[in-house]
């Protein structure tokens, strides 16, 4: 059985076809321009395959409330051409198959839960630290969703007393994303993260903020595994700072697995999102799972 | 069909018998002394009824992992006589019926979700602000549970710049519970909360801390309703401060229902826990729900 998956990102769309074991048989990348152009190429790619369903993990904000009249659309994105774009409807119309739809981070969380670092567990939390900070969680095998998808990247953290960077979140200024996403790292230190590899103070401070967020999430969700991906987390040295500071913050209050096996990089590397989108496709056919 | 419920608290046990609609037909209170004494009275009460199952919402910490060898016990409580007490086993042995077991706050959350302020919704968060601070959540109709039950009361908040009280949490000092539970209010202001009703600054500061916690939980769980109970929340004026400050903190980032209908007192008053325990009983018979 073949499934289709789309990882719809702000700079590129990754499209893939895979089987019911999450194995990719074909994939392409398409630049994100305007919907007419990008989506034509997307549809064209899938026409060559007999996919039974399609899953989309999308950049946002998106409407994922199945009973909402605007379900399946990208909503108030700064990318004007994509604003209110009815992604699910367009794909359904063109390909005539069931379509699953979720946020990019939730989709990656699902990929990691089923085939990645949290394989075999009931729950996990996946956080990406890149241009923004987002996180998704799988609890009891299902994607966490209440009133809407979570917006965990904007939680509050305590500022480091020696950090004078003011934060860049347009909504909250110095929330987690405003202090610790890639652009904040760049603005604070005057250089892109990738050129700051040999400055331990950069990554220690990064770990200071991320560890606070993880503490909150551990206390709220108690996930069985925490997976950290995204461009900034390519700086693998951050993990050690996070391990140290999460343990210090929790101070023995919660019993956790050994911390370096508990907070880990993605098992699927950069493929968590696209593999997750195949799972969304599968679940679109069997909505009970 | 009759079910039994126990709200096992640190000072008293409430035992009740009710029907499948959450209606209580009989209830008693038993002081919490030592297990031999308290539990004998508990068992004695239930022997008079033909209950099909029993649910227990218990003070903690407790082991609720169904595959753990110590499942169903109270674990490292400061109440020495109750430490490692196998509550579920004892009740099962004595009464010979299936037993459901969860934390007190989770049980109250379930009661509110099914029969209280969140009736008809898929998700809610219930927080109690009393001797400690705890919270439980129902997501997709089910109690949130990952590695263990959540310990949401210990999340970090930003201190108010003019609050010089140092906090009293033995683990984290100035976490939410350390700054905002009943004993912290009493220690900071030198009087029990009940005698501070006419001092608005007390409740404004209380709202300042509780609002931060709610912001985090909204961003992480996006529950459809938030219910605040416990002794401290009897000061109803706190709600207005919370409404104001949650709206200010989120700053329009998340679309919420009207805030005064979103963050509300318990629909079941002080009965959320005991009603929830009847639901645990019911779910112990039909574990799929
Ligand atoms: N190796 C790296 N080290 C540090 N920062 C990086 C690295 N690679 C990318 N980044 C930062 O991560 C951000 C991009 O994140 P990424 O996850 O690649 O994309 P996006 O979040 O846009 O999908 C940028 O701010 C970039 O500077
Ligand atoms: N009306 C009230 N106003 C303010 N604080 C109160 C009030 N009633 C109880 N409290 C405080 O709440 C705490 C007890 O919480 P409660 O929920 O009644 O019990 P517990 O948490 O032990 O189950 C105490 O610190 C008490 O001072
Ligand atoms: Zn923000
Ligand atoms: Zn604490």
């Amino acid at each position: 059985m073949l499934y289709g998956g789309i990882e719809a990102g702000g700079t590129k769309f990754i499209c893939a076809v895979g089987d019911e074991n999450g194995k990719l048989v074909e994939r392409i990348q398409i630049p994100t321009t305007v919907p007419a152009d990008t989506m034509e190429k997307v549809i064209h790619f899938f026409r060559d395959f007999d996919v039974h369903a399609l899953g989309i993990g999308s950049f946002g904000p998106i409407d994922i409330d199945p009973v909402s009249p605007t379900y399946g659309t990208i909503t108030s994105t700064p990318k004007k051409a994509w604003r209110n774009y009815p992604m699910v409807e367009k794909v359904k119309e063109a390909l005539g198959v069931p379509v699953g739809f979720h946020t990019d981070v939730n989709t990656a969380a699902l990929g990691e839960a089923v085939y990645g670092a949290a394989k075999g567990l009931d729950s996990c939390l996946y956080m990406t630290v890149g241009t923004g900070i987002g996180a998704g969680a799988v609890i009891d095998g299902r994607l966490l969703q209440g009133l809407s998808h979570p917006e965990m990247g904007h939680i509050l953290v305590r500022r480091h007393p020696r950090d004078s960077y003011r934060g860049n979140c347009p909504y909250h200024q110095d929330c987690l994303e405003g202090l610790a996403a890639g652009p904040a790292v760049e603005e604070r230190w005057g250089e892109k993260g990738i050129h700051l590899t040999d400055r331990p103070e950069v990554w220690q401070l990064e770990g200071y903020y991320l560890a606070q967020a993880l503490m909150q999430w551990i206390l709220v969700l108690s996930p069985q595994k925490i997976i950290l991906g995204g461009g900034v987390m390519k700086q693998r040295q951050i993990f050690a700072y996070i391990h140290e500071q999460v343990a210090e913050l929790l101070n023995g209050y919660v019993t956790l697995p050994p911390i370096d096996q508990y907070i880990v990089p993605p098992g699927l590397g950069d493929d968590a999102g696209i593999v997750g989108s195949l799972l969304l496709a599968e679940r679109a056919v069997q909505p009970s799972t």
Side-chain angles (χ1 to χ4, degrees), chain A:
Chain A
M1 179 104 51
L2 289 183
Y3 294 107
I6 303 175
E7 187 183 339
T11 55
K12 61 178 188 283
F13 275 45
I14 299 173
C15 299
V17 169
D19 66 14
E20 69 279 8
N21 301 313
K23 211 181 143 114
L24 305 181
V25 295
E26 189 76 49
R27 72 191 285 166
I28 56 160
Q29 279 195 22
I30 294 163
T32 309
T33 58
V34 294
D37 171 53
T38 304
M39 292 306 290
E40 201 212 283
K41 290 175 180 144
V42 167
I43 301 298
H44 180 79
F45 168 75
F46 286 110
R47 286 216 192 282
D48 289 345
F49 301 90
D50 181 27
V51 298
H52 274 68
L54 206 131
I56 307 172
S58 179
F59 70 104
I62 62 178
D63 184 343
I64 55 169
D65 177 359
V67 301
S68 156
T70 53
Y71 170 77
T73 62
I74 296 178
T75 58
S76 56
T77 170
K79 289 186 180 292
K80 286 222 180 89
W82 291 88
R83 211 170 279 172
N84 303 318
Y85 182 73
M87 180 92 90
V88 168
E89 192 186 309
K90 292 287 178 186
V91 173
K92 246 189 199 156
E93 257 175 37
L95 298 169
V97 295
V99 174
F101 187 59
H102 239 291
T103 62
D104 40 13
V105 277
N106 273 345
T107 307
L110 187 60
E112 285 291 329
V114 177
Y115 294 120
K119 192 174 160 171
L121 303 178
D122 287 335
S123 64
C124 75
L125 185 129
Y126 173 89
M127 166 162 79
T128 175
V129 188
T131 305
I133 296 184
V138 171
I139 302 288
D140 253 345
R142 306 199 289 182
L143 281 169
L144 179 66
Q145 180 181 353
L147 199 59
S148 168
H149 50 82
E151 288 289 358
M152 306 197 205
H154 293 265
I155 70 169
L156 295 181
V157 287
R158 290 181 180 173
R159 302 187 59 106
H160 192 286
R162 286 190 308 281
D163 180 15
S164 60
Y165 175 62
R166 64 190 297 278
N168 68 359
C169 174
Y171 290 90
H172 319 109
Q173 191 169 314
D174 59 358
C175 66
L176 178 67
E177 178 169 302
L179 290 172
V185 172
E186 182 176 346
E187 211 185 336
R188 178 188 289 110
W189 303 99
E191 258 188 295
K192 281 198 179 305
I194 197 161
H195 301 124
L196 294 163
T197 308
D198 52 6
R199 294 192 44 193
E201 69 277 24
V202 173
W203 310 113
Q204 187 168 13
L205 184 65
E206 187 69 9
Y208 174 83
Y209 289 125
L210 296 176
Q212 287 187 48
L214 296 187
M215 177 199 186
Q216 317 278 6
W217 296 334
I218 290 168
L219 291 172
V220 177
L221 296 172
S222 55
Q224 290 169 302
K225 187 83 84 171
I226 293 180
I227 300 150
L228 307 182
V232 172
M233 294 309 300
K234 303 257 149 120
Q235 301 288 337
R236 283 291 192 268
Q237 68 273 33
I238 307 174
F239 279 92
Y241 295 117
I242 290 177
H243 292 154
E244 191 185 305
Q245 297 184 63
V246 166
E248 205 176 297
L249 284 169
L250 287 170
N251 195 20
Y253 187 71
V254 185
T255 309
L256 294 178
I259 194 93
D260 55 334
Q261 289 158 45
Y262 181 57
I263 302 173
V264 300
L268 301 174
D270 294 331
D271 283 350
I274 191 68
V275 169
S277 67
L278 295 176
L279 290 162
L280 286 183
E282 206 171 325
R283 291 178 179 208
V285 190
Q286 303 152 334
S288 64
T289 54

